[in-house]
Amino acid sequence: MENNLALRLLFMAFALMLLPLSGAARAETAGAAVYSARAGVAIGGYDPVAFFEQGAAQPGRRGQAVMWKGVVWRFATARNQARFEANPRAYAPAFGGYCAFAMSQGRLMHGDPLLWAIVDGELYLLNNPDARDFWAARRGELIARAQLHWPVILQK
């Protein structure tokens, strides 16, 4: 009987140790990323496809919108909306639209859609001009550091 109790306690302790890991793994593998959204709108209402297709930050229109991952995404054109709907992960910003530099430091800060970069097909938002300049000079290293924090930082 004591062996049974000891085994159960050992199993429970092991299971409790794995809980934080399983939550992070589920969030990453299930695509349950949380996107930075002020007033429920991603990227400050800017069109995520325009960064890639037009090379510019373009405001989306209220009437040209879609709900994805719990936030509203706006688009400048119906064509951009259709592209996003066909493959949202291709256009959604890395790190949920939070500032890539702040993420590399283990902090959450909203990204500014007017301070952005596309690196290896990923859209990154930054929070302020100083962060953008520092990040641009060391982006490979800082992206790797930010990836260590994402998405676990959302559980803090």
Side-chain angles (χ1 to χ4, degrees):
M1 190 72 152
E2 279 185 26
N3 280 346
N4 235 359
L5 179 60
L7 278 174
R8 280 192 294 192
L9 288 173
L10 184 61
F11 177 77
M12 286 175 43
F14 182 73
L16 287 173
M17 287 182 352
L18 291 178
L19 277 177
L21 295 175
S22 65
R26 267 196 316 272
E28 195 165 322
T29 58
V34 174
Y35 288 90
S36 171
R38 293 183 176 146
V41 179
I43 317 177
Y46 281 77
D47 181 336
V49 177
F51 293 100
F52 294 91
E53 302 298 326
Q54 284 78 42
Q58 291 185 341
R61 300 184 317 202
R62 285 183 185 266
Q64 204 71 55
V66 65
M67 176 73 79
W68 183 69
K69 294 291 184 186
V71 295
V72 173
W73 301 79
R74 293 186 180 158
F75 305 92
T77 67
R79 182 174 183 239
N80 283 2
Q81 180 178 344
R83 285 179 177 225
F84 183 86
E85 289 178 312
N87 189 4
R89 285 180 177 80
Y91 299 104
F95 310 125
Y98 291 99
C99 175
F101 174 73
M103 186 67 59
S104 75
Q105 307 303 301
R107 297 188 329 253
L108 281 178
M109 296 181 79
H110 289 287
D112 182 338
L114 299 179
L115 301 170
W116 59 278
I118 295 176
V119 178
D120 296 330
E122 287 275 351
L123 173 62
Y124 295 93
L125 302 181
L126 290 304
N127 184 270
N128 63 68
D130 291 335
R132 178 196 55 204
D133 296 343
F134 186 84
W135 183 84
R138 298 169 181 84
R139 68 181 181 207
E141 169 196 342
L142 296 177
I143 289 170
R145 284 177 52 189
Q147 288 170 339
L148 296 174
H149 297 290
W150 184 257
V152 177
I153 195 169
L154 298 173
Q155 297 173 1
K156 292 181 179 183

